[in-house]
Amino acid sequence: MKEQIASLFEAVLDQWMAKGQLTEQARRPVHVEATRDPAHGDFATNVALLHAKAMGVTPRQLGEQLITELAPHPLIVGIEIAGPGFINLRLRADALFEPITTCIAEGSRYGRGATTGRKVQVEYVSANPTGPLHVGHGRGAAYGATLSNLLSARGHAVETEYYVNDAGRQMSILGASVYIRYLEALGHSLQFPLGGYQGSYIQDLAAELIHTHSDALARPIDDLTRTLVSDGEDTKDAHIDGWIQSIKSTLGADWHIPFDLALTRILDDIRDDLTEFSVTFSHWFSEASLVNTGAIDAAIAQLDAGGHLYRNEGALWFRSTAYGDDKDRVVQRDNGEYTYFASDIAYIANKFSRGYDELIYVWGADHHGYITRVKAAASALGYDPDRLTIRLVQFAILYRGGERVQMSTRSGSFVTLRELREEVGVDACRYFYVMRKADQHLDFDLDLATSQSKDNPVYYIQYAHARICRVFEGLQDQPPFDLQRGLANLALLEGQEVLDIAQRLGQFKETIERAADSLEPHLLCYYLQDLAGDFHRWYNGTRLLVDDISQRDARLTLAQAVRQVLANGLTLLGVSAPEAM
RNA sequence: GCGCCUGUAGCUCAACCGGAUAGAGCAACGGCCUUCUAAGCCGUAGGUUGCAGGUUCGAUUCCUGCCAGGCGUGCCA
């Protein structure tokens, strides 16, 4: 409907341009919006305000001219100029019910856009597989998944990806941690390194290693520790690196046994964890594959050929300052090892080579400093950095009993995503994570999320859905519901509440578009809360199952449309739409 | 120091790429259940949108400066 109205105005602007009254430069797109105040009619546009100055008349004068030249439309029954120059339009009552009809016709597809042909990749979570996901990863997971759903509903071809950091130093530390725990469990006396992974899951993995390999992997402790520097707050990095080196050289090919065990088990755990959270990926991309296929060498060679690299103090540097970075970045250390950033560069090249129109990265807010260098790398590789979008997700702060829950990875006292899910449930968890703008801190109130009370916004929406389901259950003793009869009698619907609902239903699609285009899923949360509120208000004052069959079915048709949109919206959020509560 | 983000009701947050009287929820107060779930609804109260300028018909929104808070600023990953 909006599009129809807008095109009427566009046609007038076209005429003006043809007659030379309006220049290309001064022309603005026509924006039609649903009014907030019923006194302003049903729809309004500010075209007159936008073009008045360029055309040398007052907005109200231009409005008058627009109205007289506007082609008549059978559904527009009122048109007037108001305020500083808004044009308010009033539609025939049955036209306002159009969203109901469309919603019923399209069902679960209602709200989805036509295929855009745009290919988008969303990479998110991508947590190091060195331990279970914690609550910080949870927000990125919920945000990325919901965003992907929205982009898909928007009509884009969406692929999702988890980048597995299975090649870096952190993974070596993980493998070493498991191996040291393994030695410990076999009775060797040693001090577990400060720089190792402390969590109890490491001991579990060591126990599994004993189960499968007995003591076959054990080596004399003195051989392993001979060259180690002492462990301490200042030397823990050197200490654990020493361990890694001695374990690798002593174990030789057997090193991959504890390493692969740890990687496989933890990655499986992460995958299960996310699946239970309704978060799945099209691809799991291995960083190690970039190493093995020579992709890193190739990418670095490409940068070198382009003159973007130089040597300094033995290291190889990328001149990212040429693209606005604060300082140049090392891609290869003086010891010959590539940095993590080198993998990132190869990964960027790999992604672009797969033909996506847009690459979206979802990162934790602590990665803020990496945006510039990654975009710089994309530019230096010859790609358009604007096709690469990076969204930062701020951390969630948990509150329990009004107190902030302290979390520390080091002490192992962090809250895992799994624990959070089990405490508050997937539905509340998914909803709470995305209900706020991603780049803002999120106060996650555990008490509120777990409370089965009216204060809990996710229940408010689900309750509206369940209520509608209950009404339909009440039909059992009555003549069956006839959808066609309902659609034919929509004109019997009365009251401002009904108009509000119909208007809201009509905004579902544009809400999805807006949320997808701005990468802000929280808009959908607010929309669903508003729609649920519209419904509760109507329901409270209107009995649906009345004796008059025509009236009854008209009301049930409206209820059905609301239920459909609530279900469609909740599905996009990864939240269930319960039939009973 | 530099860079980015954020300042809106007592609290947590909205405000449709500049629009009409800045909106919800919670907290406070007062009402509504013999009728489809009261996990609901209605009403009252609550604001100089951090401060000061600028741009314009119009600014919470855009620009500048200041104030306050957060994050980032490793040959770490």
Side-chain angles (χ1 to χ4, degrees):
Chain A
M1 195 62 226
K2 268 183 200 176
E3 292 77 9
Q4 289 183 42
I5 297 171
S7 65
L8 293 178
F9 284 99
E10 295 281 8
V12 177
L13 294 185
D14 285 342
Q15 289 173 26
W16 289 351
M17 282 182 68
K19 287 189 280 186
Q21 296 172 338
L22 179 65
T23 63
E24 173 89 42
Q25 215 172 17
R27 179 160 179 173
R28 298 282 177 275
V30 176
H31 194 60
V32 175
E33 60 182 25
T35 57
R36 290 178 217 176
D37 185 346
H40 296 150
D42 301 310
F43 292 95
T45 177
N46 62 352
V47 265
L49 288 158
L50 290 178
H51 294 89
K53 189 167 190 182
M55 295 184 63
V57 293
T58 68
R60 294 191 71 102
Q61 285 171 342
L62 191 65
E64 294 290 352
Q65 193 183 340
L66 265 166
I67 290 176
T68 55
E69 294 186 32
L70 198 69
H73 189 285
L75 295 179
I76 297 177
V77 296
I79 180 164
E80 59 184 25
I81 300 175
F86 291 99
I87 298 174
N88 294 336
L89 301 126
R90 200 171 297 278
L91 267 55
R92 232 169 66 189
D94 55 343
L96 299 175
F97 294 142
E98 178 271 331
I100 304 172
T101 314
T102 308
C103 174
I104 294 294
E106 298 185 0
S108 62
R109 287 182 8 261
Y110 185 66
R112 302 187 75 87
T115 302
T116 60
R118 193 171 169 77
K119 209 177 154 191
V120 181
Q121 192 219 43
V122 184
E123 184 219 313
Y124 62 107
V125 189
S126 299
N128 284 347
T130 53
L133 298 175
H134 56 70
V135 293
H137 299 124
R139 192 176 185 195
Y143 173 79
T146 304
L147 178 63
S148 302
N149 291 342
L150 283 166
L151 291 168
S152 178
R154 176 74 176 79
H156 303 324
V158 179
E159 289 182 18
T160 54
E161 188 153 301
Y162 186 119
Y163 180 60
V164 182
N165 290 113
D166 52 4
R169 175 168 170 265
Q170 292 303 319
M171 283 307 298
S172 296
I173 295 177
L174 175 72
S177 297
V178 170
Y179 184 71
I180 294 167
R181 286 296 189 197
Y182 165 79
L183 295 177
E184 197 178 59
L186 286 172
H188 290 88
S189 161
L190 52 81
Q191 191 69 40
F192 191 79
L194 291 171
Y197 284 97
Q198 307 289 337
S200 61
Y201 60 94
I202 301 294
Q203 275 122 308
D204 297 340
L205 291 168
E208 185 175 346
L209 208 53
I210 291 176
H211 185 71
T212 53
H213 289 77
S214 186
D215 61 355
L217 298 172
R219 299 290 183 272
I221 209 87
D222 290 344
D223 293 350
L224 291 162
T225 56
R226 189 171 299 131
T227 57
L228 294 185
V229 299
S230 65
D231 204 8
E233 268 309 308
D234 299 333
T235 58
K236 61 180 183 185
D237 283 342
H239 181 77
I240 190 77
D241 283 339
W243 266 111
I244 292 167
Q245 208 162 19
S246 66
I247 293 171
K248 281 184 179 174
S249 60
T250 307
L251 281 180
D254 284 345
W255 157 247
H256 76 87
I257 294 173
F259 182 91
D260 288 354
L261 174 74
L263 174 63
T264 307
R265 285 289 176 273
I266 291 175
L267 210 50
D268 283 349
D269 176 70
I270 288 174
R271 196 182 283 111
D272 290 346
D273 198 5
L274 289 172
T275 301
E276 288 169 23
F277 199 39
S278 297
V279 174
T280 56
F281 293 88
S282 317
H283 309 290
W284 292 71
F285 191 95
S286 158
E287 180 189 3
S289 74
L290 293 170
V291 179
N292 301 334
T293 59
I296 296 180
D297 295 327
I300 297 303
Q302 188 185 340
L303 286 183
D304 199 21
H308 300 291
L309 302 180
Y310 64 90
R311 285 217 172 262
N312 187 30
E313 295 178 11
L316 192 59
W317 295 71
F318 168 50
R319 195 176 284 104
S320 55
T321 49
Y323 298 95
D325 202 0
D326 296 333
K327 53 174 291 188
D328 293 337
R329 308 292 172 177
V330 172
V331 293
Q332 191 175 31
R333 283 186 282 248
D334 55 7
N335 63 8
E337 279 181 43
Y338 283 122
T339 61
Y340 183 89
F341 182 44
S343 299
D344 286 341
I345 295 170
Y347 188 35
I348 292 165
N350 177 286
K351 281 186 175 183
F352 273 108
S353 74
R354 283 187 265 166
Y356 299 110
D357 296 300
E358 184 175 10
L359 300 172
I360 298 174
Y361 286 77
V362 178
W363 283 349
D366 55 332
H367 282 63
H368 170 258
Y370 297 82
I371 296 175
T372 312
R373 80 187 64 163
V374 165
K375 290 210 166 210
S379 301
L381 287 168
Y383 300 110
D384 178 3
D386 290 337
R387 284 166 57 195
L388 196 155
T389 305
I390 296 164
R391 291 297 286 192
L392 297 180
V393 176
Q394 288 284 350
F395 297 120
I397 302 166
L398 300 186
Y399 288 86
R400 183 184 279 120
E403 296 283 313
R404 186 172 173 159
V405 179
Q406 293 298 335
M407 284 177 289
S408 161
T409 311
R410 183 187 309 264
S411 64
S413 72
F414 60 85
V415 180
T416 63
L417 174 60
R418 183 170 273 116
E419 287 164 354
L420 181 68
R421 277 197 294 102
E422 285 165 0
E423 181 169 340
V424 310
V426 170
D427 286 344
C429 214
R430 287 285 301 253
Y431 191 90
F432 271 65
Y433 268 136
V434 299
M435 68 190 288
R436 301 287 181 237
K437 212 176 281 181
D439 60 9
Q440 287 182 6
H441 286 285
L442 171 70
D443 291 328
F444 197 129
D445 186 334
L446 293 169
D447 301 318
L448 178 60
T450 37
S451 73
Q452 305 218 339
S453 80
K454 60 181 181 177
D455 307 345
N456 195 338
V458 63
Y459 283 116
Y460 182 77
I461 299 167
Q462 291 182 315
Y463 182 52
H465 185 271
R467 261 187 160 174
I468 296 171
C469 292
R470 179 59 62 92
V471 172
F472 276 90
E473 283 174 23
L475 274 170
Q476 286 171 356
D477 311 328
Q478 298 194 15
F481 169 55
D482 183 336
L483 188 60
Q484 293 311 317
R485 180 165 52 213
L487 287 167
N489 287 292
L490 288 179
L492 296 176
L493 295 174
E494 291 175 328
Q496 187 59 44
E497 292 87 354
V498 168
L499 295 174
D500 290 343
I501 293 173
Q503 185 183 48
R504 189 84 66 188
L505 292 174
Q507 290 168 348
F508 184 51
K509 187 174 176 184
E510 67 192 61
T511 299
I512 289 175
E513 286 171 3
R514 204 147 49 81
D517 293 346
S518 63
L519 312 181
E520 293 179 341
H522 73 280
L523 295 173
L524 182 57
C525 293
Y526 283 103
Y527 172 85
L528 292 175
Q529 281 190 62
D530 288 341
L531 177 60
D534 291 337
F535 172 75
H536 285 310
R537 229 181 323 281
W538 178 55
Y539 176 93
N540 202 254
T542 307
R543 185 173 172 80
L544 307 192
L545 299 180
V546 290
D547 292 337
D548 179 344
I549 298 293
S550 300
Q551 181 66 259
R552 183 199 72 176
D553 285 359
R555 292 176 183 176
L556 287 176
T557 300
L558 178 59
Q560 166 60 26
V562 172
R563 175 166 67 173
Q564 185 72 61
V565 172
L566 289 174
N568 292 1
L570 287 171
T571 300
L572 289 171
L573 291 174
V575 177
S576 69
E579 295 182 6
M581 291 174 72

